Amino acid sequence: MAFSHHFQTARIYLRALQEARRYWPYLGMVLLLGLAGTPIALMAPVPIKIVVDSVLGSAPLPDFIDRLVPDSLGRSMELMFGLAIALSVIVALISAAHSAVDWLVREYVAERMVMDFRGKLFLHSLKTSALHHSTEGAHEPAYRINLDAPALQWTALYGIIPVVVSLVSLVSMLYVTSLLAPRLALVALATSVPIVLLIHLNQHRMRGKWHGVREQESKAQSVVQEALSALRLVTVFGQERREVQRFSDAAHQGLLSRLRVVRMEGAFTLTLGLATALGTTAILYLGVKDVQAGALTTGGLLLIMGYIAQLYAPLQAIGSHITGQQRAIASAERAFALLDGRKQLSQRPDARPLDRAYGHICFEQVTFHYPGAERPVLDRVDLQIPAGARVGIVGRSGAGKSTLVNLVIRLFDPVQGRILLDGIDLRDYRLRDLRDQFSVVSQEVTLFSTTVAENIAYARPEASLEEIIDAAKLGGADEFVSRLPAGYDTRVGAQGMSLSGGERQRIALARAFLKDAPILVLDEPTSALDRQTERQIRASMRRLMQGRTVFVIAHQSGVLEDVDFVLRVVDGRIEREERKGPLLELVKVG
């Protein structure tokens, strides 16, 4: 068990270093700066020894200091006192400068690493198969991106380097102490062993506890995101207090979990402090005995006690650091799990480019079911859709209408069978090129809190203002946009809530006109509109349909007047209804 734990810890640290590989030169600089602190720390107690032994007493200067002072200056008490003061000031200035540079470099590297890692997690989540988003939700990855991603700096930067620096400092202090007083160095080493064992025994328990804290905090965060994303529903039903209570309950559980861990950390810190205090007391007692016996000067004892304090300081730092690291390792494991566990749609190395499709679509024995579902949504479907056809898709809620279209767009892949576009398996195309063949206008229009022009140009950010205006005219949006305070530069607010439903729908149509994709998906595009607005939108839709393969998902029969045939999704099968005048002839095709 212990071996497995250490192996897992080492694996996390190596993974963190791999994720931060572009910052290795900076990490090397941080390491060198950390190691540079050891000689500075070794010099810090020297001025006190000079004052006690050479100024107040009659002992000569330490050899390495004495060699730096010219013989012509003599060795008066005033000179040695001035030398001690000057040395103290120089060491203090060097220490302050070192700390400032070390802090600036570490903060720069830490913030840049976390920013890049958050971007990688975000990009991975955006590219993750829509199947996982639909079944797992977006709250958990959002929490990991925001709150678990900083663990990279605590593992790659603050994980290994401080331990290496502390170990070097520890060895240096032991070595110098052994030169001055071997017996005291041996006692310091002996009292360090229990501290090391204490650190080792504590770290395994802490990580499991921090995993529980992160899970509880994630649940509380998901309550907040769910409530804010459904703010209108919460307000209409007057459930504000209920949502706050849900959050309070989840947050309270997280607080209890955190307090349990904090109590454990507090007990560990207290025990660690007690162990170092006992070691320091033992060394002080033996040091005083050496002074009384004449084996050690008073200044020498002060110097050794300064080194002993700096000897135990790295041990305490390592203990506190390793304890705190369990929190970071738990978060790092969750962040890496996001990268490893959420599947992305694969693209073949030799994927084919696709400029503009004709729009002929073929289903061959396509079966699809969601993870954990007992029955397939689509079962061995065979279907031919000619290029330029206008296809209506109907069926009860949950029958698989959107699933059928999502498979064509390749938001996820069939479990069995294949889907062809212009005779080529969708999986053989480059994903980016394939997605460029589709425009989607849905019932719930997604707008970003930017300007009208930027929302229309979302599919073609490089489009000129003239192209955006032309698309808005085709989509029936130019008239109302021209009346807005800043026209096309008007910001639409969060999710476009400053616009009406019809206005948002017109912007979506303008976006589709601007993209000019050969395949168009209209997903319940007029179900939430009044009759007059619906007629205007349908007029724009007819213009948009021309020369394209079109899928129209609808419950209302009026929207299906312009289609060539209707596909009805029933119990995993597709039934095709050919139009002949006002009547519909039912033909089963899969």
Side-chain angles (χ1 to χ4, degrees):
M1 179 65 72
F3 176 78
S4 175
H5 167 73
H6 291 308
F7 177 78
Q8 179 70 7
T9 300
R11 193 182 66 83
I12 291 296
Y13 280 126
L14 290 175
R15 176 71 181 273
L17 287 174
Q18 182 183 9
E19 293 292 341
R21 57 187 174 273
R22 62 175 293 193
Y23 290 97
W24 283 357
Y26 294 99
L27 294 177
M29 187 184 304
V30 172
L31 177 60
L32 291 176
L33 284 170
L35 294 176
T38 298
I40 298 174
L42 287 170
M43 287 298 298
V46 173
I48 298 176
K49 172 177 171 54
I50 294 174
V51 169
V52 173
D53 284 350
S54 303
V55 176
L56 300 179
S58 58
L61 290 171
D63 289 341
F64 71 97
I65 297 291
D66 189 62
R67 285 195 294 267
L68 298 176
V69 181
D71 294 335
S72 58
L73 295 178
R75 297 294 184 270
S76 65
M77 185 180 69
E78 291 78 8
L79 174 67
M80 290 187 288
F81 187 44
L83 184 63
I85 293 175
L87 184 59
S88 179
V89 171
I90 291 171
V91 171
L93 290 175
I94 293 175
S95 178
H98 170 266
S99 297
V101 173
D102 183 51
W103 178 80
L104 287 173
V105 173
R106 280 189 288 108
E107 287 300 303
Y108 171 79
V109 177
E111 295 302 323
R112 288 299 302 267
M113 278 198 310
V114 172
M115 182 182 69
D116 290 348
F117 189 49
R118 278 196 174 117
K120 181 176 181 178
L121 290 174
F122 187 35
L123 179 62
H124 179 86
S125 296
L126 291 176
K127 288 185 173 182
T128 297
S129 168
L131 176 62
H132 290 267
H133 284 301
S134 62
T135 55
E136 298 177 6
H139 305 308
E140 183 65 18
Y143 181 90
R144 298 190 187 195
I145 291 169
N146 288 323
L147 298 178
D148 286 329
L152 184 67
Q153 64 173 290
W154 297 109
T155 48
L157 178 61
Y158 296 114
I160 300 173
I161 293 176
V163 173
V164 172
V165 170
S166 294
L167 288 174
V168 171
S169 177
L170 179 65
V171 172
S172 300
M173 296 300 172
L174 278 172
Y175 175 73
V176 174
T177 303
S178 68
L179 294 178
L180 298 172
R183 187 172 67 146
L184 297 184
L186 186 61
V187 173
L189 180 61
T191 55
S192 300
V193 173
I195 298 175
V196 173
L197 291 175
L198 183 65
I199 294 170
H200 174 76
L201 294 174
N202 185 66
Q203 59 177 324
H204 181 61
R205 291 191 308 156
M206 298 301 299
R207 188 186 309 178
K209 298 294 183 182
W210 277 115
H211 264 294
V213 171
R214 289 305 190 200
E215 293 297 332
Q216 290 295 336
E217 290 177 343
S218 177
K219 291 178 182 178
Q221 185 73 13
S222 69
V223 173
V224 174
Q225 292 188 349
E226 285 176 351
L228 291 179
S229 62
L231 184 58
R232 179 178 293 181
L233 181 67
V234 173
T235 304
V236 168
F237 285 95
Q239 296 299 316
E240 293 89 348
R241 292 185 179 279
R242 178 184 178 185
E243 294 304 320
V244 171
Q245 186 60 48
R246 285 181 62 211
F247 169 75
S248 297
D249 292 342
H252 181 66
Q253 292 301 318
L255 175 63
L256 293 178
S257 298
R258 180 177 282 270
L259 287 177
R260 283 192 290 269
V261 180
V262 169
R263 283 197 297 269
M264 290 177 62
E265 287 188 344
F268 170 74
T269 302
L270 179 62
T271 307
L272 193 62
L274 180 61
T276 55
L278 291 174
T280 302
T281 302
I283 293 171
L284 179 60
Y285 174 79
L286 294 174
V288 169
K289 292 295 184 181
D290 285 346
V291 172
Q292 291 174 341
L296 188 67
T297 65
T298 304
L301 175 61
L302 292 174
L303 181 65
I304 289 174
M305 292 308 299
Y307 289 155
I308 292 300
Q310 295 187 58
L311 183 149
Y312 283 131
L315 279 176
Q316 287 184 309
I318 291 173
S320 300
H321 176 77
I322 289 179
T323 300
Q325 276 296 101
Q326 304 317 303
R327 180 188 324 183
I329 292 173
S331 290
E333 286 176 326
R334 287 164 50 82
F336 296 150
L338 177 62
L339 288 177
D340 299 337
R342 299 175 64 87
K343 296 180 180 178
Q344 291 181 282
L345 287 174
S346 60
Q347 177 176 286
R348 293 172 179 170
D350 57 345
R352 302 169 58 123
L354 178 60
D355 183 21
R356 187 174 181 86
Y358 292 104
H360 176 255
I361 297 168
C362 175
F363 281 63
E364 293 183 352
Q365 290 290 294
V366 171
T367 297
F368 179 82
H369 59 76
Y370 289 96
E374 296 181 358
R375 300 178 58 186
V377 181
L378 299 176
D379 187 15
R380 291 170 294 177
V381 170
D382 287 310
L383 183 62
Q384 293 279 349
I385 299 173
R390 301 177 180 181
V391 184
I393 303 176
V394 299
R396 61 176 177 78
S397 297
K401 303 185 297 297
S402 296
T403 299
L404 182 71
V405 173
N406 289 338
L407 286 168
V408 176
I409 301 175
R410 208 193 165 201
L411 295 184
F412 33 78
D413 290 327
V415 175
Q416 294 179 358
R418 62 177 187 161
I419 303 172
L420 309 179
L421 173 61
D422 297 339
I424 305 297
D425 193 319
L426 296 182
R427 290 166 288 199
D428 289 335
Y429 288 120
R430 293 178 184 170
L431 264 175
R432 178 65 182 272
D433 290 353
L434 177 64
R435 301 276 169 75
D436 283 343
Q437 311 307 311
F438 296 88
S439 289
V440 179
V441 180
S442 60
Q443 175 186 354
E444 295 294 332
V445 178
T446 300
L447 298 182
F448 297 92
S449 55
T450 57
T451 65
V452 172
E454 288 174 310
N455 273 287
I456 293 175
Y458 190 73
R460 279 184 56 204
E462 74 283 359
S464 66
L465 181 59
E466 290 74 15
E467 292 174 314
I468 292 171
I469 293 174
D470 289 342
K473 289 177 179 178
L474 291 171
D478 181 67
E479 182 179 351
F480 87 83
V481 172
S482 300
R483 295 195 302 267
L484 294 174
Y488 284 87
D489 291 327
T490 302
R491 302 185 73 87
V492 301
Q495 300 180 356
M497 296 307 292
S498 63
L499 304 177
S500 69
E503 289 170 340
R504 293 197 297 272
Q505 200 66 266
R506 288 184 177 92
I507 289 179
L509 286 168
R511 184 188 290 166
F513 272 111
L514 183 63
K515 186 173 184 182
D516 190 28
I519 305 173
L520 175 65
V521 177
L522 302 173
D523 188 355
E524 302 280 0
T526 62
S527 61
L529 304 177
D530 59 80
R531 290 185 179 276
Q532 181 179 354
T533 304
E534 180 184 350
R535 285 196 296 270
Q536 296 170 347
I537 296 295
R538 285 179 59 191
S540 298
M541 284 167 47
R542 290 191 185 97
R543 292 194 296 271
L544 184 58
M545 288 180 182
Q546 294 176 7
R548 294 177 169 85
T549 302
V550 182
F551 294 91
V552 183
I553 301 174
H555 285 105
Q556 300 175 352
S557 59
V559 184
L560 301 175
E561 291 177 359
D562 301 312
V563 304
D564 299 319
F565 56 88
V566 175
L567 301 177
R568 185 179 300 277
V569 185
V570 181
D571 295 330
R573 298 178 297 111
I574 302 295
E575 299 175 346
R576 174 165 164 164
E577 301 175 356
E578 295 285 358
R579 288 191 174 275
K580 289 188 177 180
L583 301 176
L584 297 177
E585 179 186 356
L586 189 66
V587 181
K588 296 182 181 180
V589 297

